[in-house]
Amino acid sequence: MDVTDPATGEKLAEHALADAADVDRAVQAARRVHLSDALTAMRPIERGRMVQAMGRYLIEHKDEIARTLTLEQGKPLWESHIEVEGAALYFEYYGNQARAAEAAGFPPGAVNVLCWLGRDAGAALAGHADVNQIVFTGSVPTGIAIATAAAQNVVPCMLELGGKSAAIVHADADLRPSSPPIQRRRFVNPLIERHGMLF
């Protein structure tokens, strides 16, 4: 599948789309790591150092990651830099998490990143018999489909569903102080605002 620059339509890269077989390989890889005790056998301080190394990886590669994010999403470069810095704290930054995990020394298979279409690989993951928990953020219809698939295997789900940054403004409200925060929450990544890095 092509990844394009939304500003120019220029092709930036290609990535494979995962299917059900890819999902199964990723689940089995993660399961092997879990059952091997490769991580649980470590002292907590050792695991902590590995997680810290993931954050250092993101900071050390901040310019490269931020530029890629800007090209792929069309957001300002300064905003991408802020997101990468925030992601270094929480390691929630898309596919770079896997590269950071590998650089930090996590066992192969401990972190798996797949790019997919929901109707194919997403459905396979939600209904996979060896998945022990599912966490999903997205639309209500997709959340219902995921919960239904997971229920067949009695797998617990954590679902965050619905619209983004809903707000109610009454007819008698003073729009001058309320409008800017509502606009920010609608268009800016919440990671930026949550940590006070922008506003």
Side-chain angles (χ1 to χ4, degrees):
M1 181 175 182
D2 290 345
V3 179
T4 60
D5 182 338
T8 65
E10 179 185 355
K11 178 179 173 181
L12 299 174
E14 292 183 358
H15 70 74
L17 284 178
D19 58 18
D22 295 315
V23 168
D24 185 60
R25 283 191 289 270
V27 171
Q28 296 308 326
R31 190 169 183 81
R32 282 193 298 272
V33 173
H34 176 69
L35 295 176
S36 74
D37 291 332
L39 292 174
T40 55
M42 291 181 179
R43 295 173 59 210
I45 193 170
E46 293 175 307
R47 292 196 299 271
R49 287 171 179 159
M50 291 172 68
V51 172
Q52 291 170 354
M54 291 174 66
R56 287 194 299 273
Y57 176 91
L58 295 178
I59 293 298
E60 290 166 3
H61 296 82
K62 178 176 66 172
D63 291 342
E64 172 194 352
I65 296 169
R67 182 178 181 277
T68 300
L69 180 58
T70 288
L71 289 174
E72 187 263 332
Q73 293 192 4
K75 63 176 60 185
L77 185 59
W78 61 265
E79 185 175 321
S80 295
H81 275 275
I82 292 172
E83 284 198 25
V84 177
E85 291 166 3
L89 302 175
Y90 292 96
F91 316 115
E92 296 174 348
Y93 184 72
Y94 307 124
N96 293 300
Q97 187 178 28
R99 290 199 296 168
E102 182 180 356
F106 279 85
V111 177
N112 301 282
V113 177
L114 302 174
C115 298
W116 61 37
L117 297 176
R119 65 177 180 266
D120 300 321
L125 181 62
H128 201 290
D130 288 325
V131 170
N132 296 331
Q133 184 177 20
I134 296 174
V135 179
F136 172 77
T137 300
S139 71
V140 172
T142 303
I144 291 172
I146 287 174
T148 301
Q152 307 305 308
N153 297 317
V154 197
V155 171
C157 285
M158 295 175 59
L159 306 174
E160 181 182 344
L161 310 176
K164 182 181 185 303
S165 306
I168 297 174
V169 180
H170 292 277
D172 61 347
D174 183 351
L175 297 181
R176 287 172 296 179
S178 61
S179 182
I182 291 173
Q183 291 173 347
R184 286 198 301 265
R185 286 180 175 85
R186 179 63 186 90
F187 294 107
V188 176
N189 188 316
L191 182 66
I192 294 176
E193 192 165 22
R194 186 182 308 145
H195 299 287
M197 293 182 282
L198 180 57
F199 303 107

